[in-house]
Amino acid sequence: MLVVDDEPDILEILQITLESAGHRVVTAADGAQALAAVEKEIPDAILLDVGMPNVDGWQVLEQIKASVAPELAAVPVIMVTAWASDEDRLRGGIEGAVEYVRKPFDPSRVVSILDELLAPGAPPEPELRKHVQQSSLERLARMERGLAGDTADGPRGHLTRLD
């Protein structure tokens, strides 16, 4: 696994959690280090922060998914970030992330997501990415058409004046 985050505490939490679950973990403190790491070795999955200095997570995601190396482009990317708006979540799905985990997060949830993505018989990443992209584009279209309360988390119920 490649874990990319500019916060040392997050790197440590994820590294310990993933290693305890039996994964080998490589860490990167920024986007440039992440891109250098994937040139050396293609990971099984990438956990990627968005808000990092210089090369941010969006740039890393774009470069990985645009890679001419099909095995790199097919690596599942999970965004793990404090960028919590619906628009950010949709952007992650549209640009190729297969999951979007908001900070603060439950480390065991990250392990569960990885277990599902990497399980024998799980859909291949390109198929999963296409499904997530299509779903995200549909949600974005509904949001842009102004359907009341339609967000990445699903439609909201009727709001009262008190809400």
Side-chain angles (χ1 to χ4, degrees), residues 1-3 15 18-19 21-26 41-45:
M1 301 299 134
L2 173 61
V3 178
Q15 182 172 14
L18 295 173
E19 287 176 347
H23 298 285
R24 189 172 65 78
V25 178
V26 174
E41 180 181 5
I42 296 176
D44 292 332

Side-chain angles (χ1 to χ4, degrees), residues 93 125-138:
E125 189 278 346
E127 181 181 313
L128 185 56
R129 179 178 5 136
K130 182 178 178 181
H131 172 75
V132 172
Q133 285 172 327
Q134 182 177 2
S135 174
S136 296
L137 286 167
E138 289 169 0

Side-chain angles (χ1 to χ4, degrees), residues 11 18-19 21 23 32 39 41 47-49 56-57 70 77 85 87 92-93 113 115 120 123 132 136-137 158:
L11 283 178
L18 295 173
E19 287 176 347
H23 298 285
E39 285 183 17
E41 180 181 5
L47 286 83
L48 180 62
D49 186 22
D56 68 19
V77 176
S85 75
E87 290 81 6
I113 290 169
D115 288 347
V132 172
S136 296
L137 286 167
H158 176 73

